[in-house]
Amino acid sequence: MDTDAQLTERDPSPAPDRGPERRSRSARFLTSVARLRYRPVTLFALCLAFLFLLSTFVAQPFLIPSTSMENTLQVGDRVLVNKLAYRFGNQPRRGDVIVFDGMGTFVHREQEENPVTGLLRGAGSALGLAPAADTDYVKRVIGIGGDHVTCCDKRGRIEVNGEPVSESYLYPGDAPSAVPFDTVVPEGKLWVMGDHRARSSDSRDHLGEAGGGTVPEDKVIGRADLITWPFSRWRTIGTPRSFDGIPAPAGPHG
């Protein structure tokens, strides 16, 4: 047999595909550890970012810091503030419980805060884990733009546009107001009061200041719609029927 033919016939078959090079066990172990280590962190960061965006534009948890809204809201309650309630042409209504920025109306001082502290506080309040800025307030709307709000009538009740208001939400034993007042709410403004009148610093306490104690509508952060914590107090925060019979304002001069 020809020698060249023998050599050709005895050539080994082509080497089989070896596939991807197998990594050592230690390399595979380190990769697995890295995945376990970083994937939850990434997921957690994404969840935080989502919650932050949600609380910025849609709904924000708010930690109740004081007794001014008892018994409706108690210290330590966490409420969900609906930031879309007054978008798309909707406006605050009498009886709504709102959260608003009191800077320039209830607060007339500059805020001085360490940037890092402010960032941490802002993140905590956005998640409902820490109190909001001390310039944020939660109160009930009693009068809207054009309303003539007075206190008190012969039976000690607040009147809005000449109609007495039955305030069943008041803290037990509280009078509607120990301070008499008679005011016309400017257009685009709100007259607000706490449900625990004896413990609330509200529109009554700022009557002599610019704006007459009223809050601009554009300072409203949102409407408190739901108590989310503690679970034993889980409930919606509705608008009472007490204001249903209030007539429309008579005019800019009441």
Side-chain angles (χ1 to χ4, degrees):
M1 181 179 293
D2 187 77
T3 304
D4 290 340
Q6 290 179 358
L7 290 175
T8 300
E9 290 173 357
R10 292 175 182 175
D11 282 345
S13 62
D17 293 335
R18 299 178 61 185
E21 184 177 353
R22 295 181 63 84
R23 292 174 295 177
S24 66
R25 290 184 178 179
S26 60
R28 295 199 304 272
F29 175 77
L30 291 175
T31 301
S32 300
V33 170
R35 287 177 178 173
L36 290 174
R37 179 179 178 183
Y38 294 111
R39 185 173 297 172
V41 171
T42 302
L43 183 61
F44 181 68
L46 289 174
C47 287
L48 285 181
F50 173 75
L51 289 174
F52 183 77
L53 290 173
L54 189 70
S55 68
T56 301
F57 299 106
V58 180
Q60 177 180 346
F62 183 84
L63 180 63
I64 301 302
S66 74
T67 60
S68 70
M69 282 296 293
E70 289 183 340
N71 276 334
T72 304
L73 302 174
Q74 298 181 2
V75 176
D77 281 354
R78 286 171 174 80
V79 301
L80 194 64
V81 178
N82 181 359
K83 291 189 170 184
L84 299 179
Y86 305 127
R87 302 285 176 87
F88 314 112
N90 295 321
Q91 296 178 321
R93 298 182 303 163
R94 305 180 191 97
D96 286 355
V97 176
I98 63 169
V99 174
F100 62 92
D101 177 7
M103 182 62 72
T105 53
F106 282 24
V107 180
H108 300 278
R109 56 179 172 78
E110 294 295 328
Q111 291 294 99
E112 295 183 2
E113 188 173 46
N114 181 285
V116 176
T117 303
L119 181 63
L120 293 175
R121 180 198 55 73
S125 64
L127 298 175
L129 302 176
D134 61 4
T135 59
D136 290 349
Y137 292 80
V138 55
K139 303 293 178 187
R140 191 180 297 276
V141 177
I142 303 299
I144 60 176
D147 280 349
H148 183 197
V149 186
T150 63
C151 192
C152 300
D153 68 4
K154 294 180 179 180
R155 295 177 56 184
R157 298 170 298 182
I158 286 177
E159 289 186 340
V160 180
N161 301 332
E163 187 72 22
V165 180
S166 177
E167 300 185 280
S168 59
Y169 45 76
L170 287 184
Y171 186 83
D174 273 9
S177 180
V179 178
F181 57 86
D182 186 331
T183 186
V184 175
V185 183
E187 292 295 334
K189 303 289 185 68
L190 304 169
W191 179 271
V192 298
M193 301 175 74
D195 289 356
H196 194 347
R197 299 286 159 80
R199 293 290 188 89
S200 177
S201 176
D202 48 44
S203 290
R204 298 169 297 170
D205 298 273
H206 301 276
L207 274 168
E209 301 173 8
T214 58
V215 176
E217 288 184 4
D218 60 10
K219 288 285 190 176
V220 176
I221 297 170
R223 184 182 64 209
D225 280 352
L226 181 70
I227 300 174
T228 61
W229 184 264
F231 287 132
S232 60
R233 285 183 47 74
W234 183 288
R235 68 198 66 182
T236 57
I237 306 169
T239 299
R241 304 292 300 273
S242 311
F243 296 87
D244 287 357
I246 301 300
H253 300 291

